């Protein structure tokens, strides 16, 4: 913990509630301990080494019987705090080391009434094909006052008990927090969804007109892909707030309502909700989701305009949470896709290149860029992106084929052969790789070698997976003038795959290969 100068200065108490957080807690406490004067940890029933971890950082550890009420547990921690200010963190969060020193400056600002700071929280999310960030301002720092307490049993907020609107709420990005709870490893084995829904439903029963609770219940439904229930919750939020003050959470409510209608194929409702939301909020996430709805209706011009609108919002901070890619790579990818649909691969390649500046590890963007360069007949440029995709997704079938095609297009036939041969050697029973190698050899005029490669993949026995290999063999053998062998191969293919006719051997093999590459 920090050792400050002798003169009086505001002190800070870190207050936390925890349960079974032995893995995340050390990172959190290491980040905060140098900047606070005391650590208060309230444990709600851990069965691992959480308590011992907290004690190793000098924390005061108290215990609280869990009652399905986060505010009650957090308020129990406040009762033990002696600092002038309260810093609240969850175990899966940490103070950004670059901004943590600013804590002292923030709490030193004179105040005339109770104040609460909503700090900027950046959530890391790897649920897509590359790491992304969601950012928003969340209540994390507030004055220690007997009337300043947490409110609501879940998705709790800080209020002044005798006057809920009497607290100064200040959005502050001088101190930032990193949140790791959305990472794949952190999500495993955590059955929080059912618990959260139960708490929310009980809270809504007690306060049925609390739009904030309906919004978070909609979020739970949305993330569980229960889209019809999500629509009901989000529309209830809008019904409760129309004609009243519009809180910040209505921006993501509109955005997610558009996404939910789109997921249900309700494109007219999605578009109507989207433009209603844009009347109130300049929100990039909403622009991008509304653009997606227009894309599903084949309205590319409207979608392009919305992607441009989202991109123009880059650098602006909002009180409501946002996906940071919604002003960078996401609209740029959308504009690139529309350029491709319009037949302008050059403009598409530029849009994808700019998007990759923000998300250089996105396999999707590298695939799109490769596609644009292939359309431009620039195989060398495409190859760079294709190799990046293979580094990120080694078993992507389309990319394996694309790299082979790119090498062949540059007359680097030996490299193409060695690349595919290595794939076949590493996965001898992989029908797709073997078909690709056989086709390459056949294209190069090495039909006998192609036949050997394909024959080596069929082995002995009646494996239906070998049918496409026999189909391809029948084609090559027929071209070699080996009519009887071709007929036998076609018969074997038909035996393994009775629904297909030997007369369509070539088309069937092509279809299987196309299915393999996506």
């Amino acid at each position: 913990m920090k050792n400050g100068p002798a003169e009086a200065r505001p002190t800070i108490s870190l207050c936390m509630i925890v349960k079974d957080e032995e893995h995340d807690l050390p990172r959190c406490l290491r980040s905060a301990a140098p900047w606070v004067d005391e650590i208060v940890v309230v444990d709600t029933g851990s069965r691992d080494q959480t308590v011992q971890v907290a004690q190793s950082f000098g924390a005061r550890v108290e215990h609280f019987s869990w009652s399905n009420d986060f505010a009650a547990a957090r308020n129990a921690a406040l009762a033990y705090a002696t600092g002038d200010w309260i810093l609240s963190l969850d175990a899966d969060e940490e103070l950004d080391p670059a901004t943590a020193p600013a804590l002292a400056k923030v709490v030193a600002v004179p105040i005339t009434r109770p104040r609460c700071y909503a700090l900027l929280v950046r959530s890391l999310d790897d649920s897509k094909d590359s790491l992304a960030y969601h950012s928003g301002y969340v209540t994390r720092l507030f004055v220690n006052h007997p009337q300043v307490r947490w409110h609501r049993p879940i998705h709790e907020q800080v209020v002044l008990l005798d006057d809920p609107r009497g607290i100064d709420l200040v959005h502050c990005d001088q101190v930032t927090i990193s949140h790791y709870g959305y990472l794949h490893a952190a999500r495993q084995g955590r059955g929080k969804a059912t618990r959260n829904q139960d708490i929310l439903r009980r809270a809504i029963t007690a306060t049925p007109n609390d739009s904030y609770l309906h919004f978070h219940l909609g979020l739970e439904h949305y993330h569980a892909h229960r889209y019809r229930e999500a629509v009901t919750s989000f529309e209830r939020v809008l019904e409760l707030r129309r004609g009243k003050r519009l809180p910040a959470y209505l921006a993501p409510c509109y955005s997610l309502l558009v996404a939910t209608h789109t997921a249900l194929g309700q494109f007219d409702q999605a578009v109507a909700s989207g433009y209603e939301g844009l009347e109130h909020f300049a929100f990039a996430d909403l622009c991008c989701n509304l653009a997606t709805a227009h894309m599903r209706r084949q309205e590319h011009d409207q979608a392009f305009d919305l992607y441009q609108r989202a991109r123009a919002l880059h650098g602006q901070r909002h009180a409501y949470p946002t996906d940071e890619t919604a002003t960078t790579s996401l609209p740029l990818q959308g504009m690139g896709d529309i350029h491709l649909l319009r037949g302008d691969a050059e403009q598409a390649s530029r849009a994808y290149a700019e998007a990759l500046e923000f998300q250089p590890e996105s396999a999707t963007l590298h695939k799109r860029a490769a596609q644009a360069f292939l359309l431009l007949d620039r195989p060398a440029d495409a190859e760079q992106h294709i190799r990046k995709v293979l580094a990120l997704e080694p078993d992507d079938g389309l990319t394996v084929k694309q790299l082979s095609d790119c090498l062949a297009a540059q007359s680097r036939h030996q490299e193409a052969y060695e690349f595919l041969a290595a794939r076949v050697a590493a996965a001898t029973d992989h029908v797709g790789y073997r078909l690709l190698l056989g086709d390459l050899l056949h294209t190069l005029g090495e039909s006998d070698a192609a036949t050997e490669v394909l024959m080596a993949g069929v082995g002995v026995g009646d494996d239906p997976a070998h049918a496409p290999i026999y189909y391809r063999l029948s084609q090559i053998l027929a071209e070699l003038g080996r009519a009887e062998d071709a007929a036998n191969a076609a018969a074997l293919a038909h035996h393994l795959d009775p629904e297909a006719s030997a007369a369509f051997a070539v088309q069937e093999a092509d279809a299987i290969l196309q299915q393999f590459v996506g």
Side-chain angles (χ1 to χ4, degrees), residues 135-137 171 211-212 215-216 219 222 234 237-238 241 244-260 270 273-290 313 317-323 326:
S135 63
Y137 291 91
H171 293 87
S211 60
Y212 186 73
F215 168 65
H216 281 283
L219 273 178
Y222 178 80
F234 292 142
V237 174
L238 301 183
R241 299 309 311 182
K244 302 178 182 178
R245 180 181 62 88
L246 300 181
Y249 60 83
L250 253 65
C253 182
Y254 274 113
S255 179
L256 291 171
L257 181 57
V258 172
T260 307
S273 298
Y275 284 110
E276 179 183 325
L278 286 177
E279 291 178 5
H280 306 292
F281 301 99
F283 190 31
D285 302 53
L286 176 55
C287 290
C288 289
N289 284 340
L290 182 52
L313 292 170
R317 289 290 187 193
H318 301 289
Y320 29 90
T322 183
D323 178 348

Side-chain angles (χ1 to χ4, degrees), residues 184-317:
H184 177 77
R187 293 192 300 266
Q188 299 307 298
R190 298 205 173 190
K192 296 181 178 179
T194 300
R195 177 204 65 189
N196 290 354
Q197 292 162 32
D198 290 343
I199 297 175
L200 282 165
R201 288 191 178 97
R202 283 195 294 271
I204 289 172
T205 299
T207 53
N209 292 329
D210 190 330
S211 60
Y212 186 73
L213 294 175
H214 284 284
F215 168 65
H216 281 283
L217 182 58
L219 273 178
E220 295 291 337
H221 288 314
Y222 178 80
H223 290 305
H225 307 295
R226 293 190 298 270
Y227 296 128
R228 296 190 185 282
E229 293 91 335
V231 165
T232 299
S233 293
F234 292 142
E235 290 186 338
R236 178 60 175 157
V237 174
L238 301 183
E239 177 186 342
L240 289 168
R241 299 309 311 182
R242 282 195 177 96
K244 302 178 182 178
R245 180 181 62 88
L246 300 181
Y249 60 83
L250 253 65
C253 182
Y254 274 113
S255 179
L256 291 171
L257 181 57
V258 172
T260 307
H261 277 310
T262 302
L264 291 169
Q266 300 168 349
F267 306 129
D268 291 344
Q269 295 96 317
V271 169
S273 298
Y275 284 110
E276 179 183 325
L278 286 177
E279 291 178 5
H280 306 292
F281 301 99
F283 190 31
D285 302 53
L286 176 55
C287 290
C288 289
N289 284 340
L290 182 52
T292 299
H294 278 299
M295 290 291 288
R296 296 289 296 274
R297 296 207 306 189
Q298 305 299 312
E299 296 166 348
H300 301 152
D301 291 345
Q302 294 92 324
F304 195 89
D305 290 343
L306 285 160
Y307 284 132
Q308 286 185 314
R309 188 169 175 177
R311 182 74 183 100
L313 292 170
H314 181 56
Q316 295 188 19
R317 289 290 187 193

Side-chain angles (χ1 to χ4, degrees), residues 84-375:
D84 300 310
W85 288 81
I86 305 295
L87 173 65
S88 178
L89 293 175
D90 291 332
D92 59 2
E93 298 174 339
E94 70 172 340
L95 283 178
D96 175 15
T99 63
L103 263 177
K105 296 179 181 178
V106 172
V107 300
V109 175
I111 61 174
T112 57
R113 63 175 184 168
R115 175 170 291 181
C116 171
Y117 287 101
L119 303 182
L120 184 63
V121 177
R122 300 186 77 217
S123 298
L124 286 74
D125 188 347
D126 61 357
S127 61
K128 299 180 181 178
D129 70 338
S130 62
L131 192 65
Y133 296 88
H134 304 270
S135 63
Y137 291 91
V138 184
T139 302
R140 285 290 183 263
L141 182 65
F142 51 94
V143 68
N144 190 1
H145 185 285
Q147 287 295 306
V148 175
R149 289 295 183 265
W150 293 97
H151 169 64
R152 289 195 181 96
I154 191 168
H155 300 295
E156 55 281 12
Q157 294 179 314
V158 172
V159 300
L160 189 64
L161 294 179
D162 55 2
D163 181 7
R165 296 188 179 181
I167 194 169
D168 262 341
L169 177 61
V170 178
H171 293 87
C172 173
D173 59 8
Q174 292 175 262
V175 179
T176 59
I177 296 169
S178 296
H179 172 228
Y180 300 97
Y182 295 147
L183 295 179
H184 177 77
R187 293 192 300 266
Q188 299 307 298
R190 298 205 173 190
K192 296 181 178 179
T194 300
R195 177 204 65 189
N196 290 354
Q197 292 162 32
D198 290 343
I199 297 175
L200 282 165
R201 288 191 178 97
R202 283 195 294 271
I204 289 172
T205 299
T207 53
N209 292 329
D210 190 330
S211 60
Y212 186 73
L213 294 175
H214 284 284
F215 168 65
H216 281 283
L217 182 58
L219 273 178
E220 295 291 337
H221 288 314
Y222 178 80
H223 290 305
H225 307 295
R226 293 190 298 270
Y227 296 128
R228 296 190 185 282
E229 293 91 335
V231 165
T232 299
S233 293
F234 292 142
E235 290 186 338
R236 178 60 175 157
V237 174
L238 301 183
E239 177 186 342
L240 289 168
R241 299 309 311 182
R242 282 195 177 96
K244 302 178 182 178
R245 180 181 62 88
L246 300 181
Y249 60 83
L250 253 65
C253 182
Y254 274 113
S255 179
L256 291 171
L257 181 57
V258 172
T260 307
H261 277 310
T262 302
L264 291 169
Q266 300 168 349
F267 306 129
D268 291 344
Q269 295 96 317
V271 169
S273 298
Y275 284 110
E276 179 183 325
L278 286 177
E279 291 178 5
H280 306 292
F281 301 99
F283 190 31
D285 302 53
L286 176 55
C287 290
C288 289
N289 284 340
L290 182 52
T292 299
H294 278 299
M295 290 291 288
R296 296 289 296 274
R297 296 207 306 189
Q298 305 299 312
E299 296 166 348
H300 301 152
D301 291 345
Q302 294 92 324
F304 195 89
D305 290 343
L306 285 160
Y307 284 132
Q308 286 185 314
R309 188 169 175 177
R311 182 74 183 100
L313 292 170
H314 181 56
Q316 295 188 19
R317 289 290 187 193
H318 301 289
Y320 29 90
T322 183
D323 178 348
E324 293 185 17
T325 66
T327 62
T328 57
S329 58
L330 189 56
L332 286 166
Q333 177 183 321
M335 287 187 279
D337 293 346
I338 294 171
H339 283 309
L340 277 185
L341 289 169
R342 292 171 173 172
D344 192 342
E346 184 63 47
Q347 287 287 355
S349 69
R350 293 173 185 169
Y352 296 140
E354 188 176 353
L356 282 165
E357 292 178 9
F358 295 99
Q359 281 197 294
E361 300 301 308
S362 169
T364 298
L365 285 171
H366 283 289
K367 289 177 184 178
R368 297 284 211 285
Q371 181 183 3
F373 283 124
L374 288 171
L375 290 172

